[in-house]
Amino acid sequence: MTSTWYCALLRGITPGNPNMRNEKLRGVFDDLGFTGVASVLSSGNIVFAAEPTDTTALESRIRGALRDELGIGGGTIVRSRSELAALVGTEPFGELQHARETYLTATFLKEPLEPVPEPLPEPGGLAVRMVGYDPDARAVLAVSDNTASSSPDFMAWLERRFGKDITTRTWLTVHRILKRIPDHV
């Protein structure tokens, strides 16, 4: 059977914690029998190949192994390479470039946003503009101005609005993840 490439987006990874270092995280994925295991940056992005399966089952399996082997209780969100490629291909940010004044983010939700509010609610009082929601990748897209130091408040707003089963990555990180995942098995 042909394998599918995935990325596990792990929540709450702090590289200063010895159990959260990339080599230990990759070891858990290797122990689960996944192939092509690699890390992207040091913030909990692990790419791997596995038999095609329901991502909810993969998320549970990975989360359990991380808890049992390393004591990591944070969330796990899995997206396939094709889901990430489709998201990037929509070019949701248009001509905007990731910079201090235009900090582009994708917040991945564990569950689909249903119904999708039109327009997405804006986080009042924060220097953030909601760009949209991608239903296939289950991702909320936003642009924030970090010169206004609203990032911690924005993360708290995201949790209040969408729950704790989310994880946010910069648009640059999403691109780096996608570049790290082969487009073939």
Side-chain angles (χ1 to χ4, degrees):
M1 180 175 259
T2 304
S3 293
T4 298
W5 282 99
Y6 297 98
C7 180
L9 305 163
L10 308 177
R11 180 181 162 103
I13 299 299
T14 54
N17 179 330
N19 277 348
M20 295 183 183
R21 292 199 175 115
N22 279 334
E23 63 272 6
K24 288 200 175 191
L25 296 174
R26 286 190 309 268
V28 170
F29 284 73
D30 286 332
D31 291 348
L32 286 169
F34 301 139
T35 59
V37 176
S39 46
V40 181
L41 303 173
S42 58
S43 53
N45 309 296
I46 305 294
V47 299
F48 61 98
E51 297 291 323
T53 188
D54 175 58
T55 55
T56 302
L58 274 177
E59 290 167 346
S60 291
R61 195 169 156 213
I62 293 165
R63 187 173 187 168
L66 288 169
R67 182 188 58 242
D68 294 347
E69 292 183 39
L70 301 178
I72 296 172
T76 302
I77 293 178
V78 173
R79 294 295 183 268
S80 69
R81 184 193 192 290
S82 61
E83 288 171 320
L84 293 176
L87 173 63
V88 168
T90 66
E91 298 183 18
F93 297 105
E95 297 294 317
L96 287 177
Q97 297 293 313
H98 186 84
R100 187 165 171 78
E101 299 80 23
T102 53
Y103 203 76
L104 313 178
T105 61
T107 298
F108 295 92
L109 312 179
K110 193 162 197 71
E111 299 297 326
L113 184 57
E114 293 176 1
V116 178
E118 285 293 333
L120 281 175
E122 295 285 335
L126 300 177
V128 175
R129 178 174 59 84
M130 302 307 288
V131 172
Y133 173 71
D134 186 290
D136 296 326
R138 299 176 310 285
V140 174
L141 305 155
V143 178
S144 63
D145 178 354
N146 281 352
T147 62
S149 65
S150 64
S151 183
D153 291 337
F154 179 51
M155 295 303 143
W157 180 86
L158 286 167
E159 282 189 5
R160 285 191 306 275
R161 181 67 179 93
F162 302 109
K164 291 196 181 249
D165 282 337
I166 63 174
T167 191
T168 301
R169 298 296 186 269
T170 68
W171 196 238
L172 287 176
T173 298
V174 173
H175 277 268
R176 287 178 179 142
I177 291 168
L178 191 56
K179 284 180 185 173
R180 192 70 189 263
I181 303 174
D183 59 1
H184 62 284
V185 181

